[in-house]
Amino acid sequence: MASCKATDAVYHVELPPAGKKLRELFYCSHMVHSHIACFYALAAPDFVMGPTSDPAQRNILGVISKVGLQVGGEVIKHRAYAQSIQAAIAGKATHPVGGVPGGMSKPITEEQRKDFETKAKSCVEFSKFSLKLFNDVVLSNKDYLNIITGNVYTMKSYYMGLVDSNNKVNFYDGDIRVVDPEGKEVAKFKPSQYLEYIAEHTEPWSYLKFPFLKKVGWKGFTEGKDSGVYRVSPLARLNAADGMATPLAQAEYDKMYKTLGGKPVHATLAFHWARLVELLYASERLLELCQDKEITDPKVRTVPTATPDEGVGIVEAPRGTLIHHYQTDNNGIVTKANLIVATAHNYPAMQMSIKKAAQGLIKKGTAASEGLLNMVEMAFRAYDPCMACATHTLPGQMPLEVVIYDSKGEVKEKLGQNLAGA
Amino acid sequence: MKTLILGLGNPILSDDGVGNRVAQVLEDKLAQREDITVNETSLSGLSLIDLLAGYDKAIIVDAIQTAEGKTGQLYRLNPDAFNNTRHVSSPHDVNFATALELGSKLGIAMPKQIIIYAIEVDDVSTFGEEFTPRVKQAIPQCVERIIKELNGNH
């Protein structure tokens, strides 16, 4: 979707209202299925089964055996509902082909709209149920709440996310807003201005860059207001916004901040709670758009007439802000491209979160059990990361060396691939 | 009996797309067989439940890399071979064995028989639609084996 918006900008074309709404409808469906999978398949096992439970049970199969087969069926059903809406609009749910510069390739029919509306209503109910499940299983367990709010999983950083004209969370369009670790707005900018606000630090040991806030500067892997490290994510979006644009999600937003002690929340594991608040917002917004009188308007595209040159498109991917920036020749052939994906924005913070969890949890003289190592992994998993999206190297052969040292600093093992001379 | 042939892989990542290519060849050869559906996808995890649901039998074709394997080698496996992948293969999704077990547990009509044809590959990191020579040679062999399998002979 970011590439669609970037090509709109490259061709200097404005979408007709129905085209824009159809894209947002499509995109809310995407958020619904991605957030469902992330929560139930990846996050829930740590909380429903317990962070140190047997790994053979700590998976979605364990979750459904504990919360009931019917819940599992609902997970699969609603994930499929959301994907079926995407496929109907754009050919396929994953790798869709419906977006074109200036809009969408085809409108939806009244029959499709009715089908989407029924599915969206069901998604709203399922989202409400998911938040209730989170409340019953996680929030009512004092130990889990202590883990979420504990210092080991807390990191003070800046937060970034797209907001609408009322500073409410929006996944598809708006301005990029940044708040500091105290929750105060420090920047609000248009997608085309992103290079004024974001720069990227590099380290020789990683293929992935380390983005930071240009005006604060790169101060290394450090927390707090003086460090340019910022985060994107469901929680970052909620922290960067003044609220949610739909009523049920707003009520859940208020409840989350009330429970966790006000804004902003720095608890990395609260990403999962924020993800469920967003699941409800995505479902409510999906339903709103399905009931919009303009949504079946056949005019879903403005055919571009301007000469293409350069453009930036920004959306909120499920795991955070996604930036696409293209430069093209007069024929629209891309000559330069820059992408900053959510996992890249979060990369400095991920390093710090994992280190903090490891240092807080692994004690000298105590064997690091599988359960304990899983608790370190939980700091990583909260970001719902996609390292494959975030790392790039051409022509594709990635030299990599892993050196394992013992406690005395002596090399115990070296592992490598595609190394020069190897 | 409804049978699905499903080619898995990334069709623009050299040998990784061999499952897709085998499926494309079979789609042409089996066009007359109304009991057989040929599909290809780059999806994995939970999405496989949706793709496999409703068929009596499924033949999955994919690229594989094993520790001692020789490029171009063809394997015929069943899903049990993947049960010991304890960790998720992607931070976004569940692994193959989990997806199959989940589908069955939830009462979804998963195929009663699933066969996996895997071709040992060499290059899965160079962008391109061409295969390395031994993998290219393995494609017609794999196609032939699957047609024999469909005819009750493997």
Side-chain angles (χ1 to χ4, degrees):
Chain A
M1 192 55 82
S3 64
C4 289
K5 290 184 71 186
T7 51
D8 298 337
V10 161
Y11 283 93
H12 307 281
V13 64
E14 282 291 326
L15 275 65
K20 191 174 172 187
K21 286 175 182 173
L22 193 55
R23 278 205 194 158
E24 191 180 352
L25 190 159
F26 172 89
Y27 204 57
C28 284
S29 302
H30 176 60
M31 283 290 186
V32 168
H33 84 72
S34 180
H35 277 6
I36 288 174
C38 183
F39 178 70
Y40 282 97
L42 306 170
D46 288 328
F47 294 103
V48 175
M49 307 309 291
T52 59
S53 59
D54 177 2
Q57 300 293 320
R58 201 175 55 228
N59 52 44
I60 192 171
L61 297 167
V63 171
I64 61 158
S65 61
K66 199 159 175 181
V67 300
L69 285 178
Q70 198 196 341
V71 177
E74 293 295 303
V75 170
I76 298 299
K77 183 171 97 178
H78 288 92
R79 188 176 170 279
Y81 273 178
Q83 290 199 313
S84 71
I85 292 173
Q86 287 191 278
I89 295 171
K92 291 187 284 185
T94 307
H95 312 136
V97 291
V100 286
M104 296 295 278
S105 59
K106 65 181 174 70
I108 58 168
T109 63
E110 174 58 20
E111 196 181 338
Q112 285 177 315
R113 188 202 66 75
K114 281 183 186 159
D115 175 51
F116 297 172
E117 185 182 16
T118 306
K119 288 171 175 167
K121 281 180 181 167
S122 191
C123 286
V124 172
E125 293 307 311
F126 180 67
S127 304
K128 284 157 64 178
F129 166 80
S130 300
L131 277 152
K132 184 176 181 305
L133 183 75
F134 187 80
N135 188 70
D136 295 348
V137 174
V138 182
L139 302 179
S140 63
N141 183 324
K142 209 175 168 190
D143 290 341
Y144 288 170
L145 201 55
N146 287 340
I147 290 173
I148 290 173
T149 55
N151 187 49
V152 165
Y153 294 110
T154 296
M155 204 194 101
K156 289 183 178 168
S157 68
Y158 287 79
Y159 297 97
M160 179 185 287
L162 271 182
V163 291
D164 67 14
S165 55
N166 297 315
N167 283 337
K168 301 290 174 72
V169 169
N170 195 287
F171 301 138
Y172 174 72
D173 206 13
D175 291 339
I176 295 89
R177 193 183 196 206
V178 182
V179 298
D180 70 13
E182 276 129 39
K184 190 178 148 218
E185 179 185 304
V186 292
K188 196 173 174 185
F189 57 92
K190 302 283 176 201
S192 60
Q193 298 172 294
Y194 85 100
L195 286 174
E196 292 171 38
Y197 293 89
I198 299 168
E200 293 177 284
H201 171 78
T202 56
E203 291 282 350
W205 45 266
S206 181
Y207 286 95
L208 183 44
K209 293 177 188 170
F210 298 86
F212 61 94
L213 295 172
K214 213 169 178 175
K215 291 181 182 175
V216 186
W218 176 258
K219 310 284 169 59
F221 297 95
T222 54
E223 288 187 45
K225 206 170 174 177
D226 295 333
S227 167
V229 171
Y230 62 96
R231 294 196 275 183
V232 300
S233 66
L235 181 65
R237 287 191 279 261
L238 269 54
N239 279 339
D242 289 346
M244 312 304 287
T246 54
L248 298 176
Q250 177 63 39
E252 294 292 339
Y253 176 97
D254 291 339
K255 181 183 169 185
M256 187 188 88
Y257 283 110
K258 192 177 170 195
T259 308
L260 296 177
K263 280 179 75 181
V265 165
H266 298 294
T268 303
L269 294 182
F271 283 22
H272 300 306
W273 192 350
R275 195 169 284 123
L276 291 178
V277 175
E278 285 196 341
L279 172 63
L280 182 54
Y281 164 69
S283 300
E284 285 183 282
R285 182 67 185 140
L286 176 65
L287 181 57
E288 277 180 3
L289 288 160
C290 290
Q291 293 172 336
D292 191 297
K293 286 190 171 58
E294 261 182 328
I295 200 72
T296 51
D297 186 333
K299 185 164 170 46
V300 291
R301 187 187 186 199
T302 306
V303 176
T305 53
T307 304
D309 47 27
E310 183 172 3
V312 179
I314 300 185
V315 294
E316 286 295 330
R319 45 205 62 80
T321 312
L322 172 60
I323 302 173
H324 278 221
H325 179 188
Y326 308 147
Q327 287 175 3
T328 75
D329 65 16
N330 287 345
N331 295 315
I333 302 297
V334 175
T335 53
K336 194 175 175 185
N338 186 32
L339 317 182
I340 306 180
V341 307
T343 298
H345 292 292
N346 281 332
Y347 194 39
M350 280 163 55
Q351 301 280 345
M352 293 155 65
S353 291
I354 295 163
K355 186 177 180 185
K356 194 166 184 176
Q359 287 180 329
L361 293 163
I362 301 171
K363 303 293 179 198
K364 197 173 180 181
T366 309
S369 63
E370 198 283 336
L372 196 146
L373 293 175
N374 182 58
M375 289 185 74
V376 177
E377 281 183 29
M378 282 164 66
F380 175 75
R381 212 152 34 238
Y383 291 88
D384 188 17
C386 185
M387 305 312 285
C389 289
T391 51
H392 305 280
T393 174
L394 284 173
Q397 300 293 339
M398 186 172 75
L400 188 70
E401 185 174 43
V402 177
V403 184
I404 301 170
Y405 297 89
D406 67 10
S407 59
K408 294 172 192 130
E410 286 172 15
V411 175
K412 294 299 289 179
E413 199 175 351
K414 278 188 180 181
L415 305 165
Q417 65 170 29
N418 302 321
L419 297 170
Chain B
M1 187 168 78
K2 282 174 69 183
T3 300
L4 172 72
I5 296 170
L6 184 63
L8 297 182
N10 181 341
I12 56 165
L13 204 57
S14 300
D15 290 348
D16 194 57
V18 71
N20 305 62
R21 181 62 62 88
V22 169
Q24 288 160 11
V25 176
L26 283 167
E27 188 166 22
D28 289 341
K29 289 186 181 290
L30 300 169
Q32 306 302 318
R33 292 280 300 262
E34 286 184 2
D35 57 329
I36 295 171
T37 303
V38 183
N39 199 356
E40 56 172 306
T41 184
S42 303
L43 301 178
S44 60
L46 294 173
S47 296
L48 290 180
I49 297 176
D50 304 328
L51 289 166
L52 293 170
Y55 292 95
D56 303 301
K57 178 178 177 175
I59 296 174
I60 295 173
V61 194
D62 201 358
I64 197 168
Q65 283 189 309
T66 63
E68 306 291 332
K70 282 167 69 179
T71 303
Q73 200 171 340
L74 183 63
Y75 310 87
R76 183 181 182 276
L77 306 166
N78 61 49
D80 293 342
F82 299 91
N83 275 347
N84 59 355
T85 52
R86 201 181 69 180
H87 290 285
V88 292
S89 51
S90 152
H92 295 329
D93 216 327
V94 301
N95 64 22
F96 177 61
T98 304
L100 291 184
E101 195 178 337
L102 181 63
S104 301
K105 271 198 172 175
L106 296 178
I108 295 168
M110 301 297 279
K112 287 177 188 65
Q113 189 187 12
I114 297 177
I115 310 288
I116 297 124
Y117 278 92
I119 296 171
E120 184 82 31
V121 295
D122 178 26
D123 183 359
V124 292
S125 55
T126 304
F127 287 112
E129 293 172 295
E130 297 299 318
F131 303 100
T132 54
R134 287 180 189 279
V135 170
K136 196 174 178 181
Q137 284 168 15
I139 293 169
Q141 292 168 26
C142 184
V143 167
E144 197 179 323
R145 282 280 300 273
I146 292 171
I147 288 176
K148 275 188 184 169
E149 167 109 34
L150 291 167
N151 293 330
N153 200 353
H154 59 80

